[in-house]
Amino acid sequence: MNVLWIMCDQLRFDYLSCAGHPTLETPNIDALAARGVRFDRAYVQSPICAPSRMSAYTGRYCRSHGSTWNGFPLRIGEPTLGDHLRKIGVRPVLVGKTHMVPDRAGMEWLGIDPASPVGRNHAECGFEPFIRDDGIHPDGPLAEPELSYNRYLRENGYGGDNPWEEWANATEDKDGSAHSGWLMRYNGLPARVPDEHSETPYMTRKAMEFMETAGDGPWLCHLSFIKPHWPYVVPAPYNDMYGKDDIQAAIRHDRERDGDHAHPVFRAFQQSRICRGFVDEAVREAIIPPYMGLIRQVDDQLGELFAFMEARGMMDDTMIVFSSDHGDYLGDHWMGEKDQFHDVSARVPLIICDPRSKADATRGMVRADLVEYIDLAPTFLDAFGGAPLPHILEGRSLMPLLHDRAEPEAWRQYAISEYDYSTRYARIALDVPPEDARMTMVCDARWKYIHAEGFRPMLFDLENDPLELNDLGADPAHEAVRNRMYEALCAWSRKFHTRITVPAALVERNTNVEVPGVYIGVWDETDLKRHFPNATPQP
Amino acid sequence: MNVLWIMCDQLRFDYLSCAGHPTLETPNIDALAARGVRFDRAYVQSPICAPSRMSAYTGRYCRSHGSTWNGFPLRIGEPTLGDHLRKIGVRPVLVGKTHMVPDRAGMEWLGIDPASPVGRNHAECGFEPFIRDDGIHPDGPLAEPELSYNRYLRENGYGGDNPWEEWANATEDKDGSAHSGWLMRYNGLPARVPDEHSETPYMTRKAMEFMETAGDGPWLCHLSFIKPHWPYVVPAPYNDMYGKDDIQAAIRHDRERDGDHAHPVFRAFQQSRICRGFVDEAVREAIIPPYMGLIRQVDDQLGELFAFMEARGMMDDTMIVFSSDHGDYLGDHWMGEKDQFHDVSARVPLIICDPRSKADATRGMVRADLVEYIDLAPTFLDAFGGAPLPHILEGRSLMPLLHDRAEPEAWRQYAISEYDYSTRYARIALDVPPEDARMTMVCDARWKYIHAEGFRPMLFDLENDPLELNDLGADPAHEAVRNRMYEALCAWSRKFHTRITVPAALVERNTNVEVPGVYIGVWDETDLKRHFPNATPQP
């Protein structure tokens, strides 16, 4: 049994044909969903790369692992999925992106040399890098001195300081004039590299290379694509596979940006330079077709990968997981990028295909159970039959949902996602101190409640307003719902999130156990004999 | 400048003559208070040894450092006061107890050899042990194979497997018959060792030894007595220095144990074997006089220590701090031991004497400002002029309160203390799952609010009911107070407690800063020039 864990970057939940996108075709991903389970209500633990990924890689909430924003390191004391897998004899192999930022301060005071095996393992987030590729964000001295994909591009004749930027993520006119991929106006033009040399096929081939050489012994391969993340540049023919007519109308309403009614933090995000850059229809028309092309390219590559695996008889003993680290507003809700908690940002695709016969009952199911991405690590450990850990994971294995059509008893009632906007423009605009620039989303089967410290909450009725256009956070008629959701938030917040050792099973074993040699609260010899028949204190 | 940080174990806030005890005399501690500031409303972060100490040693709440009960280890990733002091050239020296339990699971997966310098430093909680002595609780393989005090006793002719138990903590009748110190009935008899060989003088002499050999260079010496912690055994003449008439009436009311009105968790604690063992008046009469004797012995030893320091000119350049890790119910509130949040358990003595002239304004002051023990680490760092840390401490320096009679602006409005009763009898009695067996105390200038997951709160009006005999937790007249205190609890719970790197100052520096080489949200060349005048993306 092996696990292939595919992750896209910035792929929205609704940009797959199996998730209902009317014009985008993703036949290979759809086929995977048909063979497995598609979780339709999966939320990331933060709608931003590093925190979301660190939650997926540790099985713990952002407040628990400490990496609350990009560049805020994962605590040196946080074990990862890779650490756990290695303990049970499974190779945790990385092909692609992790966005891991090591805790240099923590390593320094602990006396861990960043170049030592322990330091390197931490810097690799517990993975064994077959190839690590964080795109344009190689993380300082511990990352490879040069992006491997840049090295590859150079070997194939694409020169310059940063061929990633100059070729793969740049576009070219018919007349041969080149444009930076940062200029969205030109994003619909083809990339300056052909399909085979672009990033997604490169990474897919690396996964195949790994599989060819993996040998016996179980592995988990985390194939972590950088796309469809911006720059929204894709090679031909994907760049014009979709056009203006394939774009869905922007999900937004004037009320959402009405200064008198819009939530102040949401409004401040809309007003940031970046979000303002995504609102014009011209921008949407320039970037959404290549965004769709990038997804289609991923799908085609997965088709190749699955065929490769099929040919080698690997489909029967490989659990395949398809996921994404967060969504992309693409101008919806007057926003660009991610950061806030609307479904287009915090809700993500999740498909799991367990090839074993015990999963036959659920093939093709679309499940509405609330899933959090912290569930992935425990699911993988469960898939490999891992023993209970000495560390506390906060997610729960999805195996019961993969093997049984019914919802397990006592499944979670609330999903949580967090966002730390302390380094964002909105904090300055709103004059919020760094430590209070926190938002938390709590959603249940029907309601989504968003708490922002120091402000009124936001509230959406996902049943009657699935597009989340009508914020009920100040509506007097919904006070009871808000109170209930606030209580859920506070109950979750009050838990111990830091403790990683001493899991519940160990507590149970140690409950009401007397400390050997300690006989406190004893009056005399009779009392001693009564309570501690075997005690022989001296004298 | 040096710091002498004295800590007692299990010393209540009200068992000092300067704190108003009518029959106990503590002239040397009183004199220290007269030269410094006595903080009259100091709370520990947990009314139990290890969690309380770990908070004092890290400057962080229990939920932040992860050690929520005795034996639940301090996370390997938590830096301590000692680590911080060493960085600024100050020796953090330990003489006595820490109750530190190393994170063996964390070290193992990080690949840290427990015997390596990093492993040893962690196991010593960041201190440089001049002598470590956790009493009867030496912590496994990393602790010294034998208690140093036991070695000392043996050298002085007290034999047996555990002379700590057989001699120092055992008592002797006039007729020579010996009794275990565990049998409280005999605790009023003298110890089987004379004063000079008992634990407090031994530890005091060790502190003097350290000071004699310390040489130049700043140090913090943590002189950490095990007494007046049980067994309540003290040598002559302290054993009968106080008698039945010196005991204060038990602070308790029948209402507190009335099954219909008492708080369920509080009541379950009362019903535990240990607490039942402390309720009889005979027990109180047997243990409180030696408890007082143990405190008097500490005071006498401090007299000797201060004279020793005076004779060597050390009083002028040594900040002296007197503290305790939690209190002792001694039968009050129908309880023994500590564990719950009444003042006799969670409120502790704190005296700080800063010899520098800038502290002259506050000498002899008794301050009612709310102080938490997590304030000690930042205070010490401040005393040594330490630079801002790359790690987040949650306490705040008390220096402003030591140098100025006014309360600083924006001082804390609430003090917090936590208790994890997951391993206690009460959890079983109440059928609470391990992860919910949590209580949190929030108090302000007047009210003390205690939240227990799944139960109604407790509430005390400290102004009109300073003895905390009237629980208003279910009183309809106090709903508004309870709501306010609950909100304070939840606001505190919602904070990020895990993150230790990226303090606010670093966040400020990184707010709204663009990532170099990333030009997201840009439409065209004009837009690029406008927003990023110096950008030169390729091509």
Side-chain angles (χ1 to χ4, degrees), chain B residues 124-314:
Chain B
E124 296 298 358
C125 198
F127 286 109
E128 172 193 327
F130 184 79
I131 194 154
R132 176 175 180 167
D133 194 323
D134 278 348
I136 46 164
H137 299 293
D139 293 308
L142 286 175
E144 290 176 276
E146 184 175 74
L147 201 60
S148 68
Y149 178 54
N150 262 347
R151 212 160 47 222
Y152 166 85
L153 287 174
R154 262 197 210 96
E155 283 162 13
N156 284 278
Y158 303 97
D161 277 351
N162 184 358
W164 179 93
E165 180 178 74
E166 191 168 341
W167 299 96
N169 285 283
T171 57
E172 204 164 82
D173 258 330
K174 269 182 205 136
D175 70 6
S177 60
H179 305 280
S180 165
W182 298 114
L183 307 180
M184 296 192 289
R185 177 180 187 159
Y186 309 107
N187 278 181
L189 294 170
R192 297 183 77 200
V193 295
D195 182 35
E196 70 165 306
H197 292 323
S198 65
E199 212 157 0
T200 298
Y202 166 78
M203 217 62 85
T204 309
R205 287 195 302 273
K206 287 290 169 189
M208 293 177 188
E209 264 179 48
F210 160 71
M211 289 179 188
E212 290 276 29
T213 57
D216 289 339
W219 46 258
L220 175 145
C221 175
H222 182 40
L223 170 56
S224 187
F225 294 122
I226 288 155
K227 296 298 180 184
H229 194 285
W230 48 255
Y232 305 101
V233 170
V234 68
Y238 297 101
N239 69 300
D240 58 7
M241 212 172 259
Y242 301 96
K244 207 173 133 170
D245 295 342
D246 299 311
I247 300 177
Q248 304 303 295
I251 302 170
R252 61 196 186 196
H253 192 285
D254 278 335
R255 184 174 46 215
E256 291 180 283
R257 58 171 175 177
D258 175 346
D260 291 336
H261 296 102
H263 189 279
V265 181
F266 176 32
R267 184 77 191 115
F269 266 86
Q270 292 170 13
Q271 289 169 328
S272 70
R273 181 190 67 73
I274 289 176
C275 287
R276 279 185 285 114
F278 282 95
V279 167
D280 286 353
E281 206 48 36
V283 176
R284 298 187 73 246
E285 287 175 8
I287 64 167
I288 294 180
Y291 179 76
M292 292 168 68
L294 284 164
I295 297 165
R296 179 62 185 270
Q297 186 189 29
V298 166
D299 189 83
D300 281 349
Q301 287 299 311
L302 292 183
E304 305 241 349
L305 179 60
F306 296 160
F308 168 94
M309 291 170 69
E310 184 74 57
R312 281 153 189 83
M314 295 171 69

Side-chain angles (χ1 to χ4, degrees), chain A residues 261 263 456-459 471-479 482:
Chain A
H261 295 103
H263 189 279
R456 72 155 173 90
M458 299 172 80
L459 179 72
D471 178 3
L472 302 168
D475 177 18
H478 289 84
E479 196 180 341
R482 285 195 301 270

Side-chain angles (χ1 to χ4, degrees), chain A residues 218-261:
Chain A
W219 46 257
L220 175 143
C221 175
H222 182 40
L223 170 55
S224 188
F225 294 121
I226 288 155
K227 296 299 180 183
H229 194 285
W230 48 255
Y232 304 101
V233 170
V234 68
Y238 297 100
N239 69 301
D240 59 7
M241 211 172 261
Y242 301 96
K244 205 173 136 169
D245 295 342
D246 299 310
I247 299 178
Q248 303 304 293
I251 302 170
R252 60 196 187 198
H253 191 286
D254 277 336
R255 187 174 44 216
E256 291 181 282
R257 59 172 173 176
D258 174 347
D260 290 336
H261 295 103

